[in-house]
Amino acid sequence: MCRFLAYLGEPIYLEQLVCRPRHSLVRQSLQAEESKTVTNGDGFGIGWYGERETPGVYREVMPAWSDENLLSLSATVQSRLFLAHVRAATGGGIARQNCHPFHYGRYLFIHNGQVGGYGQLRRALETELPDHLYEQRRGATDSELLFLLIMARLQEGMSAPEAMRAVLQHTEVLMKARDIKAPLRFAAALADGQQIWALRYASDDAAPTLYLKPQVGGCAVASEPLGDDVEAWRPLGPRPRAHLQPGRVELLPI
């Protein structure tokens, strides 16, 4: 399982969430507390929005705790909206193209979880991608494929929540048709430069953890609380959807 965080609000330096807290994302890459995999050292990535519509992205295969470039970048870049992710590979191999966040146009996506029986589903899911999105596929992970399938639904006219729900429901239908018993587990954040949608879902009762923390000037979502203020982080229920907009946070059912 991976660990991630997302932030929307007044511009802050990335290091204020990625590196500085006692249990920062960099710390979680070495010693996570609420994951079956303690070490998340199979790569990392950050994506942030600046003055342009499309985000900047930095991804690397080395562990987050050993990358001096990450520390330098996080200490000098400010952003009003950014996503960060540390990876524990469950499939697809250790490669830069398999690291999160994934991006397409103005969208960024990070994911923690798994598609049960992915090897049995991959071909069927990939055939549903239109050619222009299939050409964007760079890696071999279920996470990237889910993201591109969500992009396809968005281009069909669905809203972001509708697109994520449709992809998850259809994936479950395919899993049941193949009698796959392994679960579908999904905690993710999707951003378009103005807002963030965060979702926690599972086909069983073991959805990956997700926490929400309103803070001065903004709001953060993370796989685990980031610091000493654990009581300020609100655990989300088994199937919630959080919608973060400037100055506003909504919690809705999937």
Side-chain angles (χ1 to χ4, degrees):
M1 292 295 181
C2 309
R3 305 282 86 181
F4 71 70
L5 68 84
Y7 170 81
L8 174 65
E10 295 178 0
I12 62 173
Y13 287 104
L14 307 187
E15 68 173 3
Q16 289 181 239
L17 295 181
V18 176
C19 307
R20 279 188 182 178
R22 179 190 59 81
H23 195 54
S24 69
L25 199 66
V26 170
R27 177 65 177 175
Q28 291 177 37
S29 70
L30 184 62
Q31 190 172 357
E33 294 179 353
E34 298 190 31
S35 173
K36 291 182 179 179
T37 305
V38 174
T39 303
N40 297 272
D42 297 326
F44 68 88
I46 52 177
W48 67 96
Y49 294 89
E51 298 301 318
R52 296 183 174 179
E53 182 179 274
T54 54
V57 176
Y58 175 56
R59 302 188 295 177
E60 192 49 83
V61 295
M62 67 174 56
W65 68 78
S66 66
D67 190 299
E68 293 182 359
N69 292 322
L70 172 62
L71 299 179
S72 176
L73 182 69
S74 297
T76 56
V77 172
Q78 282 187 313
S79 177
R80 58 184 168 74
L81 197 169
F82 60 89
L83 311 182
H85 186 279
V86 292
R87 182 171 184 249
T90 56
I94 301 173
R96 185 177 290 111
Q97 61 266 30
N98 289 332
C99 293
H100 309 218
F102 300 105
H103 59 100
Y104 179 76
R106 71 179 191 271
Y107 289 95
L108 283 174
F109 178 78
I110 48 179
H111 171 240
N112 172 32
Q114 64 185 40
V115 175
Y118 177 58
Q120 299 171 249
L121 294 174
R122 177 175 173 175
R123 183 175 178 182
L125 290 172
E126 285 184 336
T127 60
E128 297 182 9
L129 289 174
D131 289 345
H132 69 282
L133 286 175
Y134 184 82
E135 291 170 0
Q136 296 297 314
R137 185 136 158 84
R138 298 289 182 263
T141 64
D142 53 356
S143 300
E144 182 191 31
L145 182 51
L146 290 173
F147 169 57
L148 292 174
L149 289 167
I150 291 168
M151 291 298 98
R153 302 306 197 278
L154 285 175
Q155 292 177 1
E156 292 171 0
M158 291 185 182
S159 67
E162 289 171 340
M164 287 192 283
R165 182 170 58 245
V167 168
L168 292 173
Q169 290 175 343
H170 183 62
T171 301
E172 280 196 273
V173 168
L174 294 178
M175 292 171 67
K176 290 178 181 177
R178 288 160 176 77
D179 197 31
I180 294 172
K181 304 301 184 186
L184 169 64
R185 292 176 180 159
F186 183 92
L190 174 70
D192 68 356
Q194 301 298 323
Q195 54 198 327
I196 298 172
W197 297 270
L199 198 66
R200 181 175 183 242
Y201 180 87
S203 59
D204 60 7
D205 60 355
T209 56
L210 204 57
Y211 291 82
L212 180 71
K213 182 195 175 188
Q215 57 189 62
V216 176
C219 187
V221 177
S223 299
E224 299 183 15
L226 299 181
D228 296 321
D229 56 345
V230 175
E231 67 285 348
W233 290 86
R234 176 180 178 181
L236 299 186
R239 292 190 176 188
R241 169 167 57 90
H243 186 197
L244 281 61
Q245 303 173 79
R248 182 180 180 186
V249 178
E250 288 183 297
L251 286 177
L252 302 165
I254 291 176

